Amino acid sequence: MLWAQPANPQTVEDNIENTLSLFEKWQQGVIDWLTDSGTWEMILIKAIKIALIVLITRIVIRVVYRMINHTVMKREKNRMGMNPRRLLTVGKLLKNVTSLVMNFIMILLILSEFNVNLAPLLAGAGVVGLAIGFGAQSLVKDVMTGFFIIFEDQFAVGDVIKVGQFQGTVEMIGLRSTRIHSWTGEVHIIPNGIITEVTNFSLNNSIAVVDISIAYEENVDEAIDVMSKALGTLPERNENVVNVPQVLGVQMLAASEVTIRVIAECKPYTQAGVSRQMNAEMKKALEDHGIEIPYPRLVTYQRMEQGGVNHGA
């Protein structure tokens, strides 16, 4: 059976004295460090450097914020009638990214003033970023594509666009996906990463093209004059028509008809409705002036028993 040996009182006293001696040396070292003029000079210099780093960072952030606001306001003026929330979203996103990057750089510079080794921190951040990039490639692609769609103003909420086989009105633009509402009622949610080609029908005015056919027996000049007068007041009756429609003249000579082409400049993506109205009004005008619109006719020949031929239409 083992018994604990009693501690030597002399050894305990020596340990206590050594501990007190070390504490006194540490205390004296702290006092000497605090009373040294070089220490306060170094602290003052580092404090000034840190203050300058913080001040310069704030100035840079303010300057970048002003540049972002100027760019957003310029784009908003260049494009009338667009949803301002989209530009505000872009501006806020850019400001958040700027603030994050500048504050990160500021923290690194402050740590360098305290002689902190930044190499492990940067290496760790690089490894984490690489891992996130490999783990969420599709998400990163969608977000980056969505950012450039918004920043480059490729299309806006309310625009009519065509992406691949999908066509409709843009209801929502996000960094992750875009929502399109087709005219037949379907809602298409498209990831931004797969949007490679976009056709935007809402950037410029559209052209309504209408072809009207008349019979060969009719006077072409009279028909053109009738159609011009009938459509002369169309902009006053339809707010989507920008200018007075133009009757270009004879477009084609077919087997049984003469085709006259009429065009009208109208607001973006309103050409279908304008074309229907132009067709209706020109048909009525031609009928009122007795100008025949050709239609298919069937002619029959009937042979008589005596050998004659009876013609009938």
Side-chain angles (χ1 to χ4, degrees):
M1 195 174 202
L2 296 178
W3 296 93
Q5 297 292 332
N8 190 352
Q10 185 65 31
T11 303
V12 175
E13 291 178 0
D14 292 341
N15 291 335
I16 294 174
E17 289 180 357
N18 291 333
T19 303
L20 292 175
S21 176
L22 290 174
F23 177 75
E24 290 176 355
K25 290 180 179 180
W26 175 82
Q27 185 180 12
Q28 187 62 37
V30 171
I31 294 174
D32 293 340
W33 184 76
L34 293 175
T35 55
D36 187 5
S37 60
T39 300
W40 293 105
E41 182 179 354
M42 179 190 66
I43 293 176
L44 181 61
I45 293 174
K46 288 187 177 296
I48 293 174
K49 288 183 178 180
I50 293 173
L52 287 176
I53 292 173
V54 175
L55 179 62
I56 292 174
T57 302
R58 296 300 146 198
I59 292 175
V60 172
I61 291 177
R62 284 290 184 91
V63 171
V64 176
Y65 277 14
R66 287 182 177 271
M67 294 174 61
I68 293 173
N69 291 334
H70 178 73
T71 304
V72 170
M73 291 177 61
K74 184 177 179 181
R75 286 186 174 273
E76 186 175 2
K77 291 180 180 179
N78 290 339
R79 184 163 183 171
M80 303 301 295
M82 69 178 300
N83 192 346
R85 292 181 298 174
R86 191 169 65 91
L87 290 176
L88 293 177
T89 302
V90 176
K92 187 175 181 181
L93 177 63
L94 291 175
K95 289 178 180 179
N96 290 337
V97 172
T98 301
S99 179
L100 179 64
V101 172
M102 294 306 302
N103 287 325
F104 179 73
I105 294 175
M106 180 188 69
I107 292 173
L108 293 181
L109 293 176
I110 292 175
L111 291 177
S112 66
E113 291 297 325
F114 292 98
N115 299 323
V116 176
N117 188 7
L118 300 180
L121 294 177
L122 295 176
V127 171
V128 172
L130 188 63
I132 294 175
F134 277 113
Q137 292 184 27
S138 61
L139 177 62
V140 173
K141 183 179 179 181
D142 292 341
V143 171
M144 292 301 297
T145 305
F147 172 79
F148 283 108
I149 287 175
I150 297 174
F151 182 72
E152 294 177 356
D153 199 15
Q154 297 179 10
F155 52 85
V157 174
D159 288 355
V160 179
I161 66 172
K162 182 177 182 181
V163 180
Q165 60 179 345
F166 306 113
Q167 179 176 338
T169 304
V170 179
E171 286 190 339
M172 184 272 296
I173 304 175
L175 290 177
R176 179 68 176 84
S177 62
T178 298
R179 187 166 66 233
I180 300 176
H181 188 188
S182 67
W183 68 278
T184 54
E186 298 87 358
V187 176
H188 308 287
I189 300 175
I190 305 173
N192 292 329
I194 66 173
I195 299 178
T196 56
E197 295 181 2
V198 179
T199 302
N200 195 330
F201 299 97
S202 301
L203 290 180
N204 300 310
N205 289 336
S206 55
I207 301 294
V209 181
V210 176
D211 290 334
I212 298 294
S213 298
I214 63 174
Y216 271 99
E217 294 80 12
E218 303 297 336
N219 189 319
V220 174
D221 293 334
E222 181 184 358
I224 292 176
D225 184 64
V226 169
M227 288 189 287
S228 298
K229 291 180 180 179
L231 299 177
T233 58
L234 184 61
E236 301 174 4
R237 292 178 279 108
N238 191 333
E239 61 180 7
N240 292 325
V241 181
V242 178
N243 296 319
V244 176
Q246 301 178 10
V247 182
L248 299 183
V250 177
Q251 177 68 18
M252 184 176 61
L253 299 175
S256 60
E257 62 188 17
V258 178
T259 302
I260 300 175
R261 172 158 293 184
V262 184
I263 64 171
E265 183 180 358
C266 50
K267 293 181 180 180
Y269 206 67
T270 59
Q271 66 271 21
V274 173
S275 298
R276 288 190 291 268
Q277 183 177 358
M278 291 171 60
N279 277 320
E281 294 193 4
M282 285 189 291
K283 179 181 182 299
K284 185 176 183 301
L286 292 175
E287 288 178 347
D288 292 342
H289 288 79
I291 299 176
E292 182 182 359
I293 297 176
Y295 54 89
R297 295 185 176 129
L298 180 63
V299 179
T300 61
Y301 295 88
Q302 183 178 358
R303 184 180 297 274
M304 303 296 293
E305 293 181 358
Q306 292 80 4
V309 178
N310 183 26
H311 300 277

